[in-house]
Amino acid sequence: MIGAYDKLTAETSLKYRLAYTADLEATFTPVFKLMLDNDASLFRPGDDRVASLFIWHFVEEVEHRSSALIIFDSVVGSDVYRMRVAASVFKHVLDVIRIACAGFNKHVPIEDRKIDALSMFASYRRKQKLLELIPGLQAANSGPMPRAFDDLGLKEQLVALRGIIRSQMPKHNPEHEDLPELAGVWFERFDAGYDVTKWYTAETAAPGVN
Ligand SMILES: [Fe+2]
């Protein structure tokens, strides 16, 4: 993953990389709202140390949701350019996620990761299913392939999708985004001295917070 970004840094302009961050970060608030609104199925069942780390990071991204766009607008200031490079930016993002998932499959034993980390890619799931159908051709079994979002409402997922598209439009201002309720709770708890590194298990750490 670091190599992919080193290559990007060497081969693309500063303008492109500022657009990269602006395009990507603009999608975070709608995507993370979908995730944080569904924390009960996406985070609570996991290891609390990891869940808390992710929750902190998503809340932090919601907090500084306008930063990359503000920087892009003041340095480059072209919505046309930002929209033009969006497709190649998201292709790169997905390529990097794929490197990470393949790495999880390779380095983390199935007993610990429980799933095929590449199963988030629909094209991969289709390919694996197809290979199973061909006699004599055994697909490498890297574990079960659930979709993390299966428990989430379709309507909510569509709202997030609309948010992602809106985030790439000219004059997008993340300031006006619909925010996840959990982000507000997070800051309240943090200010009250709650141990946010144990989001689900530190219930008694701060009196009056639940
Ligand atoms: Fe960020």
Side-chain angles (χ1 to χ4, degrees), residues 94-95 97-99 101 117-126:
L94 286 170
D95 287 347
I97 295 175
R98 195 178 271 271
I99 294 170
C101 292
L118 281 161
S119 65
M120 64 172 287
F121 292 96
S123 58
Y124 176 82
R125 291 200 305 273
R126 277 197 299 272

Side-chain angles (χ1 to χ4, degrees), residues 11 27 29 36 41 69 74 83 107 138 150 162 171 176 188:
E11 293 175 358
T27 66
T29 299
L36 293 175
S41 68
L69 263 175
S74 61
M83 289 177 73
H107 300 292
Q138 198 57 253
D150 274 351
R162 249 199 341 255
K171 307 269 168 284
H176 311 310
E188 274 169 34

Side-chain angles (χ1 to χ4, degrees), residues 19 29 35 63 94 105 138 146 156 167-168 188 196-197 203:
T29 299
M35 295 189 182
E63 182 188 37
L94 286 170
N105 274 357
Q138 198 57 253
E156 265 180 298
S167 76
Q168 301 307 305
E188 274 169 34
V196 291
T197 67
E203 236 94 26

Side-chain angles (χ1 to χ4, degrees), residues 74-161:
S74 61
V75 178
V76 184
S78 166
D79 279 329
V80 175
Y81 179 74
R82 191 169 67 80
M83 289 177 73
R84 207 176 65 215
V85 299
S88 93
V89 164
F90 290 110
K91 187 194 171 295
H92 190 270
V93 170
L94 286 170
D95 287 347
V96 172
I97 295 175
R98 195 178 271 271
I99 294 170
C101 292
F104 280 121
N105 274 357
K106 189 172 170 203
H107 300 292
V108 184
I110 180 69
E111 306 83 68
D112 293 322
R113 69 178 145 80
K114 311 268 199 266
I115 60 159
D116 183 335
L118 281 161
S119 65
M120 64 172 287
F121 292 96
S123 58
Y124 176 82
R125 291 200 305 273
R126 277 197 299 272
K127 196 188 101 202
Q128 291 293 96
K129 289 218 174 78
L130 209 68
L131 285 175
E132 277 166 26
L133 296 174
I134 304 170
L137 245 187
Q138 198 57 253
N141 184 7
S142 303
M145 297 194 288
R147 265 191 84 240
F149 285 8
D150 274 351
D151 291 338
L152 277 51
L154 183 63
K155 206 176 138 211
E156 265 180 298
Q157 294 191 48
L158 289 174
V159 169
L161 183 64

Side-chain angles (χ1 to χ4, degrees), residues 21 25 28 32 57 60-62 64-65 67-68:
T21 316
E25 199 169 83
F28 286 169
F32 296 163
H57 181 219
E60 180 259 348
E61 288 294 345
V62 170
H64 74 249
R65 63 191 176 276
S67 304

